[in-house]
Amino acid sequence: MMSRDRELHVDVDDFALEKPVRLLKTLMYYPLALLLLAVTAQASVLTLKSPRFVVSDSTGNQLRAEPTASPVKLGARESLKITFQVVDKEDEKGVQPHQTFIRFYDESTGEEGIQPVRVTPGGKAKFDLNLSKPPLYLPPTSDKPLKVSLIIGTPNYDPISAQLFDLVLPWSQPAPVHPDEAVFHPRPELQHTFRPEQKVPNKFISLVFSGIAIAPWFVLLGLWSQVAPRATGLFSPSILPFIASLGAFEVLLFTYWVKLRLGDVLLYGGILGVVTVFTGRRALSSIAAKRTQ
Amino acid sequence: MFSLRRWCLLALSLAGVLVDAKSSTGDSVLVVVDPAQQDNYSIFFNGLKDQGYELTFRSPKVEKPVIIEDNVSNFAHVILLAPEAKNLGKDITPQSIVELLSLKTNVVVALPTKQSPLHALAAEFSLILPPPGSPLISYSPKRDTPSTLIPISVEDHSSPVLTKHIRPVWFSGIPQALGNNPLLIPILRAPAESFASEVTVTSGSAEALVDAAEKGGEGLWAGSSLSAVTGFQATNGARITFVGGAEVFSDELAQKEAEQYVQSGNIDFVKEVAAWTFQENLVLRIEKVEHHLVNGTEPKETYTINDNVEFSAYISKWNPAKGEWQPYSGLKDLQLEFTMLDPFVRTALPPVNGAPGKYSTAFRAPDRHGVFKFVINHKRKGWSFLESSTTVPVVPPRHDGYPRFLSAAWPYYAGAISTSVAFFLFSTIWLAGEARDSKKGKAAKSE
């Protein structure tokens, strides 16, 4: 087989070597065996014999044949095969445990998938994960690695629960979420976009046009400087009250514009109107009298 | 007379329970338990009695006292601790237990391993139970007890229901697989190495497990996604807890050692479960809400668009030790929505420094007029649901509510004021001025 750039290539014949070397290779590649070696004093202990681990692509070529410390990456059409035999440590006889599970656990989300491994009565176990037909027990995956561990339990023997390797699978759909689940967490803040403030034209333009509006006054003032108006009878007691009431009406109008309301202004206007009637009659009759003299 | 063992148990229970903890919804508890088994749970029952609950015991075979009479529940809380009973009485059926919850009565249910009507009840709450006769089994950790009796270690903060540290709990019973319902709150998860299977291991058991898993669907009950004790809080606030087996409450497991020289946490665990289910812990309510303009104090009948409105809510929490509602400022992610069919504004409602229990925020009313609601909808797992909705109309500005004296109107002001002034001046000059001598004019003409 051609060895590619970054994939390790292990000769299959390695596993056909003598028993001690095979055991040594088992110790190197499977930390759980190291664990069992430490507990030699226990009575009923199970161990794994001839574990094999193979990653192959859709055409059957082997891509990787031993797990190392780095995570095992599985592409969309590749498959992972793990085979081993469960034996009693003392007499090397095959044991079919009650529970032989492979557990896939995503630490970041807490999702978990567990699959029992089919073990023959002689203890031979075979596990096959083929990603061209992804099985249902796999938890939802992202780019975070899944921790793969092996759980073996059976009456009268010590249980085994060992981390095997990290597995990186292609992205999957996220776990389905209940539609009400979003209410149980803080939700995104919403702000209302207000209509933009109405734009007011430049004050300078307003000033210019105000100037145009009051320009005739300057003309008037200019003309008056030539021909002054005479207001001789201004302070006679018959005319002044009328002028004052007219002025009061103008003041009322200005005040209405600034702050009053219709009800108030009608009230004040009514009072002022009555007053103006009397002062007006007096003023106009006095002017008329002056004329007819 | 009382045996030595009974005195020891009594002393143990009294020593453990010196805190009086009261429920916020009532103290009457109905316990449905087989009278022969009642003494097995004496530590638990005495603990409840010391906290101030009034326990009424009822045997599964007897039909009195009736729980629901005339659409009113006779008890504030119910404990169903008789998993072996084939039927619990005519008035305890899955439908009647659901009706109890709608009457705001809290329930603790111990699930049986055999087939029973309680399996249908669990299905109502999106819990999927394993087939009858398959309890939870775990071979690890290595221990002397049978594989069905499992010590489960409890991590702090693993569930919001457990408010204090709990030592490892001995569990025996069935696991529950959780459906996709957000109202479910797992309280005690099964360990990762556990699974549900028949107890007697034959040569075909391993094959049966693999076949069950390959069947698909919920074929295999295994791992930490299962829950041993699950709580459920209904939308009206009533709480129901499903416990996988009644042995969790028993005296024997309460006194068993979980680890070397460490007593099991069963007593503390069942106390916490009862405290949560009977509405002692994690119970909140909204006392009142207020709204007003930012610089005002009285609530207005209607608000105008673009008004700055301030909204405050007063929230209290039930303090079980004192038995009263106390203002609570610990909610960090309370949110307020201002909605008309859809939320227009959603802001955080932070607590106010210096005013315990008061949460307040100010925002600008949207541009659109209509009938809006101030909505608080705060749901978190384990805590009571806070819901409040205050309707308030928002109207466009009145005829005199618009901005005035704009700079763009200066020419018009100038013109109008000019007109008034000109009229006044003209009338003054005309009234006060000298009349042209018409006689002179007439005389000139006649001449």
Side-chain angles (χ1 to χ4, degrees):
Chain A
M1 248 199 288
M2 307 246 308
S3 50
R4 297 184 192 177
D5 268 345
R6 288 162 50 187
E7 282 149 9
L8 285 170
H9 166 70
V10 172
D11 205 349
V12 176
D13 290 340
D14 271 353
F15 286 97
L17 290 177
E18 302 289 79
K19 188 169 158 187
V21 184
R22 193 169 41 181
L23 207 55
L24 205 62
K25 281 214 172 344
T26 315
L27 286 176
M28 271 173 17
Y29 295 145
Y30 276 88
L32 79 87
L34 277 170
L35 237 141
L36 291 173
L37 208 56
V39 206
T40 46
Q42 291 295 340
S44 326
V45 173
L46 293 171
T47 179
L48 298 186
K49 195 162 108 165
S50 55
R52 281 188 62 177
F53 159 96
V54 169
V55 173
S56 49
D57 70 4
S58 47
T59 59
N61 292 334
Q62 283 193 9
L63 298 175
R64 187 162 165 174
E66 79 241 357
T68 57
S70 66
V72 177
K73 270 206 198 6
L74 218 56
R77 295 200 184 291
E78 294 168 12
S79 71
L80 168 69
K81 271 200 200 13
I82 301 180
T83 56
F84 52 88
Q85 186 183 14
V86 185
V87 295
D88 187 329
K89 194 164 174 355
E90 296 286 306
D91 52 9
E92 302 262 322
K93 269 213 317 242
V95 172
Q96 185 194 39
H98 183 200
Q99 170 193 27
T100 317
F101 289 167
I102 297 231
R103 174 178 184 242
F104 302 86
Y105 180 58
D106 186 346
E107 268 183 342
S108 53
T109 58
E111 299 271 350
E112 179 187 79
I114 294 194
Q115 171 66 4
V117 178
R118 203 175 272 285
V119 181
T120 65
K124 288 198 168 46
K126 194 161 86 109
F127 173 74
D128 188 2
L129 172 59
N130 190 350
L131 279 187
S132 348
K133 275 193 309 216
L136 288 170
Y137 55 79
L138 282 180
T141 49
S142 62
D143 55 351
K144 298 262 170 25
L146 294 177
K147 291 208 173 318
V148 180
S149 45
L150 178 66
I151 302 173
I152 295 185
T154 199
N156 305 324
Y157 283 97
D158 291 353
I160 296 176
S161 169
Q163 275 269 72
L164 295 181
F165 47 86
D166 285 354
L167 185 65
V168 177
L169 293 176
W171 282 78
S172 75
Q173 298 281 355
V177 168
H178 194 272
D180 287 341
E181 183 68 39
V183 186
F184 284 75
H185 303 276
R187 294 156 92 187
E189 301 220 339
L190 291 175
Q191 270 144 13
H192 180 69
T193 34
F194 291 88
R195 262 183 295 245
E197 294 275 335
Q198 277 193 327
K199 271 201 326 225
V200 185
N202 210 339
K203 282 197 184 160
F204 176 68
I205 299 181
S206 306
L207 278 174
V208 163
F209 281 90
S210 307
I212 296 174
I214 59 178
W217 281 102
F218 299 118
V219 175
L220 179 65
L221 289 175
L223 291 174
W224 270 355
S225 65
Q226 309 291 328
V227 182
R230 288 163 296 168
T232 50
L234 186 59
F235 295 108
S236 76
S238 53
I239 298 187
L240 190 61
F242 185 48
I243 295 177
S245 357
L246 288 179
F249 258 111
E250 298 300 327
V251 168
L252 177 66
L253 185 67
F254 187 80
T255 316
Y256 177 39
W257 176 59
V258 171
K259 64 178 177 188
L260 283 183
R261 295 179 159 246
L262 186 64
D264 304 330
V265 90
L266 286 180
L267 181 70
Y268 300 144
I271 300 173
L272 259 184
V274 171
V275 168
T276 312
V277 162
F278 289 110
T279 57
R281 287 192 64 182
R282 197 154 131 215
L284 290 173
S285 55
S286 80
I287 291 177
K290 250 201 308 191
R291 287 243 182 96
T292 51
Q293 270 175 354
Chain B
M1 215 26 206
F2 289 145
S3 65
L4 184 63
R5 179 167 171 268
R6 191 76 184 277
W7 280 114
C8 286
L9 288 175
L10 221 59
L12 197 71
S13 67
L14 284 174
V17 184
L18 292 170
V19 169
D20 188 29
K22 304 191 88 31
S23 157
S24 59
T25 50
D27 289 334
S28 53
V29 183
L30 175 72
V31 183
V32 177
V33 67
D34 191 5
Q37 307 278 333
Q38 194 173 324
D39 286 341
N40 285 353
Y41 309 114
S42 59
I43 300 185
F44 174 53
F45 293 144
N46 292 334
L48 286 182
K49 282 196 196 122
D50 291 333
Q51 285 178 4
Y53 288 102
E54 294 162 18
L55 300 181
T56 313
F57 293 94
R58 172 177 145 169
S59 161
K61 300 190 191 39
V62 172
E63 310 236 329
K64 287 204 205 333
V66 179
I67 305 186
I68 302 183
E69 237 175 321
D70 301 327
N71 267 345
V72 165
S73 169
N74 281 335
F75 298 93
H77 317 288
V78 174
I79 305 180
L80 298 177
L81 260 189
E84 327 75 36
K86 294 223 182 9
N87 85 26
L88 290 164
K90 230 180 12 210
D91 65 333
I92 303 186
T93 61
Q95 293 87 349
S96 70
I97 297 179
V98 172
E99 200 191 327
L100 269 182
L101 284 180
S102 66
L103 293 172
K104 292 209 169 201
T105 304
N106 309 302
V107 185
V108 174
V109 180
L111 291 171
T113 314
K114 307 192 295 288
Q115 180 69 20
S116 121
L118 293 176
H119 283 243
L121 177 68
E124 287 276 333
F125 295 91
S126 313
L127 288 177
I128 309 160
L129 298 184
S134 36
L136 191 66
I137 291 180
S138 176
Y139 291 110
S140 76
K142 180 173 158 58
R143 58 195 188 277
D144 299 327
T145 60
S147 55
T148 49
L149 186 56
I150 308 167
I152 305 183
S153 60
V154 182
E155 264 179 48
D156 290 342
H157 307 296
S158 56
S159 174
V161 169
L162 304 172
T163 55
K164 53 186 197 209
H165 173 74
I166 309 269
R167 296 183 297 274
V169 173
W170 285 105
F171 176 78
S172 165
I174 58 173
Q176 304 100 43
L178 303 172
N180 204 2
N181 196 330
L183 301 172
L184 280 173
I185 303 149
I187 301 177
L188 184 66
R189 291 240 181 217
E193 305 92 2
S194 60
F195 62 106
S197 154
E198 292 129 10
V199 182
T200 46
V201 179
T202 62
S203 58
S205 300
E207 294 288 332
L209 272 180
V210 181
D211 290 335
E214 278 174 9
K215 193 172 63 167
E218 289 292 338
L220 179 73
W221 272 261
S224 62
S225 55
L226 296 179
S227 167
V229 177
T230 321
F232 183 97
Q233 177 164 278
T235 46
N236 68 351
R239 294 172 173 172
I240 179 169
T241 305
F242 291 91
V243 183
E247 285 86 355
V248 181
F249 297 91
S250 67
D251 294 348
E252 187 195 320
L253 291 185
Q255 293 162 320
K256 209 174 152 66
E257 270 184 8
E259 293 161 6
Q260 197 76 352
Y261 308 126
V262 171
Q263 198 192 7
S264 77
N266 280 48
I267 310 180
D268 289 336
F269 179 73
V270 300
K271 261 208 313 211
E272 287 284 296
V273 165
W276 180 79
T277 313
F278 296 164
Q279 311 269 0
E280 286 173 38
N281 285 346
L282 277 67
V283 179
L284 298 170
R285 74 173 181 195
I286 303 182
E287 300 282 348
K288 69 175 165 144
V289 298
E290 322 179 305
H291 56 87
H292 51 81
L293 281 179
V294 166
N295 292 326
T297 46
E298 290 299 313
K300 279 180 69 173
E301 283 268 340
T302 72
Y303 290 100
T304 317
I305 65 174
N306 291 327
D307 261 352
N308 284 320
V309 184
E310 189 177 314
F311 180 86
S312 321
Y314 294 84
I315 294 184
S316 6
K317 180 172 169 205
W318 174 259
N319 183 339
K322 295 221 180 67
E324 57 182 21
W325 293 93
Q326 290 176 338
Y328 178 67
S329 286
L331 288 176
K332 300 279 174 269
D333 51 1
L334 194 56
Q335 284 182 318
L336 168 72
E337 285 174 11
F338 194 58
T339 95
M340 171 167 69
L341 304 180
D342 276 326
F344 277 67
V345 175
R346 189 185 289 139
T347 58
L349 206 56
V352 172
N353 276 338
K358 181 172 177 187
Y359 297 77
S360 180
T361 185
F363 62 94
R364 192 167 149 205
D367 255 344
R368 310 271 295 276
H369 57 271
V371 178
F372 283 84
K373 289 191 291 201
F374 292 103
V375 172
I376 294 182
N377 185 7
H378 181 83
K379 292 186 165 136
R380 298 287 178 266
K381 286 215 193 250
W383 292 86
S384 338
F385 301 141
L386 291 175
E387 279 162 12
S388 145
S389 160
T390 317
T391 313
V392 72
V394 172
V395 293
R398 302 191 61 186
H399 64 284
D400 54 0
Y402 289 93
R404 303 185 66 188
F405 312 122
L406 305 170
S407 70
W410 288 346
Y412 305 97
Y413 300 154
I417 294 176
S418 302
T419 311
S420 284
V421 170
F423 165 74
F424 180 67
L425 277 180
F426 175 78
S427 46
T428 311
I429 293 172
W430 187 84
L431 287 170
E434 231 174 46
R436 190 77 45 134
D437 215 346
S438 58
K439 247 210 212 153
K440 270 203 205 148
K442 259 193 182 165
K445 259 194 176 164
S446 62
E447 268 178 327

